[in-house]
């Protein structure tokens, strides 16, 4: 069973094969559950003209935001982009292409892509700029627009614990976009806080089966808080 071992020992190996112009799907919500070290590795590699599919683009100096500094991102497909001043600047200057997508629709685009479903219908966005130019059908008296699913050349994901076969458990709210993203990459790379031997994970607690995962790496994480709020003393 040694061929099932998905563990890699360096971030260079984890992101090997990423090239200019590729599409990368990234898990996380805000700064919660983001694959922060894999993003840093992409910055070190200097890969450019990338399309990123992610709920948001991090903040100016953390998360996907660090890839904007050297203009490594050509296009963002996102649902929320309000916390990044550099993102706003590049968007308004025409230096960054942005495809805003409703949050639930974005999650379903990933899920459908991972399930081999090429498109689906949703009422979300009908009658708004989101629905312009898209196919419309009526079901039970309600109008729906067709949305195409999303797959990526790479998917980068943050998990809590994995075994060497690539079975992954996410902790608490890190279950946001990570499980969907993990299914939608041609190459899926997961960084985790702990790697255990096969059989140590409770099968009923596994969120992403190893069949979806190509590489697993153990990392150390800052887990930065996006907006810290404390009680007045």
């Amino acid at each position: 069973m040694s061929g099932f071992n998905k563990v890699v020992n360096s971030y260079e190996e984890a992101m090997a094969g990423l090239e200019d112009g590729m599409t990368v799907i990234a898990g996380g919500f805000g700064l919660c559950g983001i694959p922060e070290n894999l993003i840093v590795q992409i910055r070190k590699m200097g890969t450019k003209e990338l399309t990123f599919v992610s709920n948001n683009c991090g903040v100016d100096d953390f998360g996907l935001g660090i890839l904007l500094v050297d203009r490594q991102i050509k296009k963002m497909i996102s649902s929320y982009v309000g916390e990044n001043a550099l993102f706003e600047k590049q968007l308004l200057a025409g230096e960054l292409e942005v495809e805003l997508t409703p949050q639930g629709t974005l999650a379903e685009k990933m899920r459908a892509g991972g399930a081999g479903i090429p498109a689906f219908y949703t009422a979300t966005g009908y009658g708004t700029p989101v629905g312009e130019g898209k196919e419309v059908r009526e079901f039970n008296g309600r109008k729906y627009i067709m949305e195409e699913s999303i797959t990526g050349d790479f998917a980068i994901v943050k998990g809590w614990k994995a075994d060497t076969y690539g079975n992954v458990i996410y902790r608490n709210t890190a279950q946001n976009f990570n499980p969907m993203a993990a299914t939608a990459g041609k190459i899926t790379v997961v960084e985790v806080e702990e790697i255990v031997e096969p059989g140590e994970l409770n099968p009923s607690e596994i969120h992403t089966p190893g069949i979806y995962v190509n590489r697993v790496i153990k990392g150390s994480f800052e887990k930065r808080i996006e907006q810290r709020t404390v009680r007045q003393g």
Side-chain angles (χ1 to χ4, degrees):
M1 300 290 283
S2 60
F4 285 88
N5 191 326
K6 310 288 182 67
V7 177
V8 296
N9 297 311
S10 71
Y11 279 92
E12 291 81 4
E13 187 178 359
M15 294 307 300
L18 180 69
E19 299 178 354
D20 291 354
M22 284 187 167
T23 295
V24 182
I25 299 177
F29 185 104
L31 298 183
C32 175
I34 64 170
E36 56 191 75
N37 299 299
L38 294 172
I39 295 169
V40 169
Q41 176 59 27
I42 294 173
R43 185 180 190 182
K44 291 179 179 178
M45 294 168 67
T47 319
K48 294 185 180 292
E49 295 292 305
L50 297 171
T51 294
F52 265 89
V53 183
S54 179
N55 174 65
N56 67 296
C57 197
V59 294
D60 290 343
D61 62 343
F62 198 69
L64 291 177
I66 65 174
L67 301 181
L68 296 175
V69 176
D70 295 322
R71 292 176 168 77
Q72 291 176 256
I73 301 177
K74 175 186 71 175
K75 179 179 180 179
M76 283 294 306
I77 301 175
S78 300
S79 60
Y80 177 70
V81 295
E83 299 293 336
N84 194 313
L86 184 56
F87 185 104
E88 179 184 16
K89 180 180 179 181
Q90 291 186 8
L91 169 62
L92 295 177
E95 300 170 348
L96 178 66
E97 184 179 351
V98 179
E99 185 178 318
L100 289 175
T101 305
Q103 191 161 270
T105 301
L106 183 62
E108 181 62 11
K109 279 174 170 280
M110 296 181 190
R111 191 206 67 81
I117 299 169
F120 57 92
Y121 288 93
T122 176
T124 303
Y126 172 74
T128 75
V130 169
E132 290 179 1
K134 296 177 180 176
E135 179 184 325
V136 178
R137 289 189 63 181
E138 183 174 317
F139 298 92
N140 299 318
R142 189 176 185 185
K143 299 292 181 63
Y144 293 77
I145 59 174
M146 189 183 78
E147 292 280 5
E148 295 186 11
S149 62
I150 288 177
T151 57
D153 299 292
F154 272 75
I156 56 174
V157 174
K158 163 63 169 62
W160 173 47
K161 188 182 294 188
D163 64 20
T164 59
Y165 288 175
N167 297 301
V168 183
I169 295 175
Y170 307 101
R171 188 171 183 269
N172 299 332
T173 51
Q175 295 179 53
N176 44 58
F177 280 84
N178 281 303
M180 288 78 75
T183 68
K186 295 177 182 177
I187 297 176
T188 293
V189 186
V190 183
E191 59 173 340
V192 295
E193 298 175 37
E194 182 180 356
I195 297 176
V196 300
E197 292 300 316
E200 292 188 36
L201 300 181
N202 185 335
S204 66
E205 296 177 354
I206 291 170
H207 298 115
T208 296
I211 190 67
Y212 290 107
V213 177
N214 300 91
R215 303 167 188 168
V216 178
I217 187 167
K218 181 180 178 181
S220 299
F221 302 90
E222 180 180 342
K223 299 184 182 180
R224 188 180 301 190
I225 297 174
E226 189 167 352
Q227 295 189 20
R228 185 183 300 272
T229 302
V230 296
R231 182 181 301 171
Q232 293 294 327

